[in-house]
Structure formats: structure tokens, C-alpha cells
Amino acid sequence: MLLQDLFKFPIVQGPMAGGATTPALVAGVSNAGGLGSLAASLLSPSVMRDQAAIIRSMTTQPFLINLFVLETPSPSQEDIAEASELLRPLWESLGWDRLSVPAAWCESFEGQLAALIELRPAAASFTFGILTPAQVERLHSAGIFVIGTVTTVDEALAWETVGADAVIASGVESGGHRGTFLGPQEEATLSAKALWPLVAAAVKIPTIAAGAIMTGVDILEAMSLGAEAVQMGSAFLVCDESGINQHYRNALIHAGDTPTRLTRAFSGRYARGLENRFMQEMKAVETRVPAYPVQNALTTGIRAAAAAKGDTGLMSLWAGADIRRARPMSVAKLMQTLVAEMRTK
């Protein structure tokens, strides 16, 4: 299978964990000629099966499933207590007398991978880590096109070595979590337009460009820099079919001069979002919080309570650096607009 077999137009909808990628959004992109992506990193195998079934009831076109490559952590009680203490100002502001510890830190990656192979989507992408050659072969045996997420040239070469079919080159402007897995996350700072041509020149497999791509003109520019397709997340985040909280949506649509920046305060892994009170209060200690997924699990309750109250100050408002250029509309209309912009340039 070739990358071009997955879509009519070279547009991959970014997999955005946390409920944004509803079946309607995924199917809508695929039905419009792009490649929809289901973010399954936080989903159990049973929910993955349910979501895939709904998507398949809405489209006969190819779609992608994304997973985070993770090992299940075993933090000590001391580590958990310290992390809870660092978060005290935030959970106390909600009126809590303690921070609840989750029953599980994350889903089993092996369980998710087995479910993904069973589901046999046309493609699968992976973030936060790298598969083994044997795992890639299992996916290929199921007829699944394998895509690795990278933030450096070395990571792209590593994915090519294990047998990936393509890589997503994610510039530092990208919204949400950074996919860095080789070297310190703080050192993966290449801008999108610097990273794309370097990756495209370094590997023989296709490069999918990601980072600050919001229009058809942006798509053409990425492809002029060596990409064979683009992945767009923030552009789809404000679509009608997106599953994000309405308060989150409003914050993105009316972002104005609110800056985005990278933080590890919410999850223990650097991610880009709109700056808010949570980021500001945790800035002095964010390098001390436990790594993903422990911090992510510990802050889930805080963020959920904030979302229920409409308090965007304590929510993780993931967004790319160019979120101000996002256009609220239906996914079908956005796809039509992007394609028209590509054709009229």
C-alpha cells in the first residue's frame, strides 16, 4: 500500500486524544477525501472496538487509529505524594481536601495494539515512542500502513529502520503533546518549516508535515518543502463535529492575543496549549512533576472538574501556535475550503 492510496486529497486529520476525534469527525474527513484519525491512546480495547464500528457505519473510506507507545509505570507512594503536593494549590482551589489517585495510570499498550491489529484500520500512527520491527511486521501482516511520529531527523531514521511506511514530521508549533522519543524533549525545538525538508531529505519513506498548517496555501507550502501529505490537528479542533468541551471551543475561537506555549505541568510531557492559570501556577515546579502518564492521570480529575464548571483556567487547552487562524465550520465545509484553496493558488 502507498500513502496516496489512503486518501484522495493529501490531508490527514490529526489524532487529538481526549475525545476531540469523534466518529463523526473521523468519518467526515474520510468521506470528504482526507484521512480521518481516531485518537485511541486513552481508550480501552472495548471502546476502541465500539468507536471503530461507529466510524465504519458512517464511512467506507480508509481511516487511521493512533496510539501512544507507552510502558505502564509503577510510581512509588513517595513520588505520588510529592506530585500531589505540587498540585495542592490547584486541587485546594476546587474545595478538595485531597487529590484522588487513579485506579490505573494508563491503558495497556499491548492490549491496545492487539485490538488495533484485530480492527485492521487502513493505517495506524504511533506517538511518544517507537515500535519494534516485530510489532511493525504484525501490523503489516494485518494489512495496516504504519506511520511514526517524529520531531527530529534521528527519530525519522529510527522509524525507517524498523520498517515504518511513513513518518509525521511534527514541528515545535504543533498543538498538543510533542512526540519526542530520542533525547531530551527540551532539545526537539525545530520549527515545522525547518524540520520538514530535513526529514524528507533524510529518509526514503514519505514525510507527512505537521505544525502550523491551517489553510490550503499552507498545505501547498509544506508539500513544496518535501512533504507528500500534511497532518492538521488544530484546524479540525473547532469543527462542529469535534468532541471538545464548549468552553474549550470558545477559548480557542476567541483566543485573541492569548499565547500558546509548551508545558509539562498537565501531563508530565511537553505539550502546547493556550496559556492559562494552571500553566502559570505550575510554571515554577513543572520540571519536577512525574513523567507521562502519571502526571496526566493525577491531573485528569482537576481538569474534568474544571470543564464541568466551565473554568478554562484549569483545563488543558491544547492548541497549535496558529490557533487564531482556525475556522469554525463543519468538517465537510472545512475540507471543501482546503481543497479549493489548494486549487486556486
Side-chain angles (χ1 to χ4, degrees):
M1 185 189 302
L2 300 175
L3 177 64
Q4 290 74 13
D5 296 330
L6 297 173
F7 44 66
K8 180 178 179 182
F9 305 112
I11 300 169
V12 181
Q13 163 249 311
M16 299 167 284
T21 58
T22 63
L25 180 66
V26 177
V29 173
S30 293
N31 282 332
L35 181 65
S37 303
L38 173 66
S41 54
L42 304 180
L43 306 182
S44 67
S46 64
V47 175
M48 288 173 61
R49 295 184 187 99
D50 292 344
Q51 295 276 291
I54 298 171
I55 293 168
R56 286 185 163 127
S57 75
M58 302 175 77
T59 186
T60 59
Q61 300 303 309
F63 67 94
L64 176 154
I65 295 178
N66 171 266
L67 292 177
F68 293 162
V69 182
L70 290 174
E71 293 183 4
T72 302
S74 300
S76 68
Q77 291 300 314
E78 291 77 11
D79 290 339
I80 296 170
E82 180 181 354
S84 176
E85 192 61 27
L86 293 175
L87 288 164
R88 176 182 289 274
L90 301 179
W91 54 257
E92 280 192 338
S93 74
L94 292 168
W96 300 354
D97 58 9
R98 64 184 178 86
L99 181 66
S100 296
V101 177
W105 299 112
C106 62
E107 294 290 334
S108 162
F109 174 69
E110 284 301 328
Q112 290 178 318
L113 182 63
L116 188 153
I117 292 171
E118 170 196 322
L119 291 168
R120 298 191 177 216
S125 68
F126 297 90
T127 314
F128 291 9
I130 188 167
L131 301 181
T132 65
Q135 288 171 325
V136 173
E137 182 52 39
R138 285 172 61 195
L139 290 156
H140 283 162
S141 295
I144 301 170
F145 190 91
V146 178
I147 306 172
T149 305
V150 307
T151 60
T152 66
V153 170
D154 284 347
E155 291 174 347
L157 291 167
W159 267 108
E160 184 175 52
T161 298
V162 299
D165 301 297
V167 289
I168 298 161
S170 179
V172 74
E173 302 94 335
S174 296
H177 285 94
R178 301 289 287 146
T180 307
F181 62 90
L182 291 179
Q185 294 174 42
E186 298 89 340
E187 294 180 8
T189 58
L190 281 179
S191 70
K193 292 176 185 177
L195 179 65
W196 302 335
L198 292 176
V199 170
V203 298
K204 297 181 177 65
I205 56 177
T207 297
I208 301 168
I213 302 170
M214 305 296 283
T215 69
V217 174
D218 295 341
I219 295 171
L220 294 178
E221 182 177 13
M223 296 183 75
S224 75
L225 292 173
E228 294 188 30
V230 301
Q231 178 174 279
M232 305 171 67
S234 296
F236 288 100
L237 199 53
V238 296
C239 279
D240 301 343
E241 294 84 354
S242 168
I244 64 173
N245 177 289
Q246 187 61 47
H247 303 289
Y248 179 5
R249 184 192 307 273
N250 290 340
L252 298 184
I253 293 171
H254 303 293
D257 295 330
T258 305
T260 67
R261 71 170 175 86
L262 293 170
T263 180
R264 66 188 302 273
F266 288 106
S267 72
R269 171 176 276 271
Y270 282 100
R272 181 175 296 280
L274 288 179
E275 188 167 32
N276 62 1
R277 174 188 156 205
F278 193 114
M279 285 193 199
Q280 292 162 353
E281 292 204 15
M282 292 292 290
K283 186 174 182 179
V285 298
E286 69 175 72
T287 58
R288 295 167 51 193
V289 306
Y292 192 101
V294 174
Q295 179 73 359
N296 191 65
L298 287 173
T299 64
T300 294
I302 295 173
R303 291 178 282 152
K309 294 169 53 179
D311 180 3
T312 56
L314 296 184
M315 295 165 60
S316 47
L317 306 173
W318 303 138
D322 277 11
I323 189 61
R324 292 156 201 80
R325 295 199 290 141
R327 298 172 285 193
M329 59 181 71
S330 72
V331 65
K333 179 64 175 176
L334 178 57
M335 286 293 296
Q336 291 167 5
T337 302
L338 293 170
V339 172
E341 289 169 344
M342 291 172 67
R343 288 174 171 165
T344 56
K345 173 64 176 177

